[in-house]
Amino acid sequence: MMEGREEEEIMAANYYSKDFEWDHLRQEIENNPCHAHHLLPFPKQDDQQHTLLCSPQEDDDSEAWSKFHTRHSTGKFFKERRYLLKEFPELASCGECSTILEIGCGNGSTALAILRGNKSISLYACDCSKEALERAKENIEAANINLAKVRFYPFQCDFTASRFPNWLACTACRENFFQKQSMCISDARSCSKQDFPSAKNNSCIGGVDFVTLIFTLSAVPLHRMSRAITECFSVLKPGGLLLFRDYGLYDMTMLRFEPEQRVGYREYMRSDGTRSYFFCLDRVRDLFCATGFTELELEYCCVQSVNRQNGKIMQRVWIHGKFQRPHVHVGS
């Protein structure tokens, strides 16, 4: 599965989203007996069994990713995701003092591209892995990007198991976002860097303008995704955007999993303990819209390439999504 992740980084840099039609791929996969185990329903667990499994699972998931980043500590495993500014041009064109929360920052491959492409944006980056955050800080510093060190704020957080810290969006801010306000009270300030949180200053920044979920949600157990998306919604300013990219249904890496690696319907676990879910459009739409987001863009990105070592054709499927928190809370 490591080979598949390297291929993803290389191929995703090619901004061609319609090399083939997803429906044609779907028909091919669903008519192929070799892939029958991917289509089978997964037996449901009863409530008691589900409760017993969930508590240790949160620690297990975080630990698996921590070990993953420790093994790949050189920072060379994931390449800088410069293609993101083509997919999400808002990141390059937004105004001064704009703020972004990157969730699941890993070694900084997304943060690097954003900080390089926008010289005035401030980026808050979280990950459940302390090792990943250390690699991210090292890579940002080594990149020698203009003022990157003072525009990059890494912090440890598992957004599937706990709230984001109050300095990101305090309780008053979150409540205010639901009261038809387009700007948080505590955000009505200048964007002087001294206002941002530090060890000595935990003042609230008033939420963020953007949230990115780039190959992050697929690593979250399905039953915890809704809670995680709700937490994203809560710190996003009204009118703010959530930018989403992740594995799509029938992506090549999904088809490589063996039957015994299934841990749920369209949900798999690798040999190193990290997991991956493969999304269809309807699942993504249901998850985000049920939370209160408005769908702006949602499509399959279908990329075909050839492995230069063995000549094998690789068909990759990703989901591209763009969602907005309404200016006025739905239902208010």
Side-chain angles (χ1 to χ4, degrees), residues 85-106:
L85 275 73
K86 295 180 180 179
E87 287 217 21
F88 304 116
E90 298 88 350
L91 294 175
S93 62
C94 61
E96 291 188 14
C97 302
S98 294
T99 53
I100 179 171
L101 171 63
E102 186 201 350
I103 303 174
C105 66

Side-chain angles (χ1 to χ4, degrees), residues 10 21 40 55 59 113 188 211 224 226 237 275 316:
I10 295 171
E21 292 295 328
L40 297 174
S55 296
D59 293 336
V211 170
R224 285 156 52 192
S226 294
K237 297 176 186 176
R275 66 176 62 232
R316 305 306 309 273

